[in-house]
Amino acid sequence: QVQLVESGGGLVQAGGSLRLSCAASGSRFSLSVMGWYRQGPGKQREFVADITSSFSLNYADSVKGRFTISRDNAKNTLYLQMNSLKPEDTAVYYCFVGATVGPGTQVTVSS
């Protein structure tokens, strides 16, 4: 069974950057689709980005050109580099591997 732990969240001013990490334990990491969801205050959870085992990338339109997803299979770690952050990016960010979702990390962007 996969276990996930996110880190790297915090408070940043608009226009700033953060890098989220998601450490995964368990087998078959390299064979799985991995990605990020987020849930802002008063909003439903939404897809942010994912990366397949063959490193194919998908992004939500709202983050294209600003966020970059990557994975290091040797370290069983997923990353989300977030640049040019906006107040509307404020949310709890959750990583997922297949059907397993992590506990989340808070990102707050001040205006």
Side-chain angles (χ1 to χ4, degrees), residues 17-97:
S17 299
L18 284 174
R19 188 193 196 201
L20 304 183
S21 299
C22 175
S25 61
S27 62
R28 305 181 64 82
F29 174 92
S30 62
L31 302 179
S32 301
V33 175
M34 304 187 69
W36 297 90
Y37 297 120
R38 68 184 181 185
Q39 187 166 13
K43 299 180 181 179
Q44 291 189 331
R45 185 175 294 186
E46 63 175 353
F47 170 80
V48 176
D50 69 17
I51 179 169
T52 68
S53 56
S54 59
F55 298 90
S56 176
L57 309 178
N58 296 289
Y59 293 97
D61 288 343
S62 58
V63 306
K64 279 182 182 176
R66 300 188 297 121
F67 290 11
T68 302
I69 189 171
S70 61
R71 63 192 291 171
D72 185 335
N73 289 340
K75 295 182 179 180
N76 280 8
T77 303
L78 176 71
Y79 303 99
L80 185 69
Q81 178 66 45
M82 305 186 295
N83 299 328
S84 301
L85 283 161
K86 304 175 182 179
E88 50 263 45
D89 294 318
T90 293
V92 178
Y93 284 72
Y94 303 87
C95 72
F96 66 86
V97 176

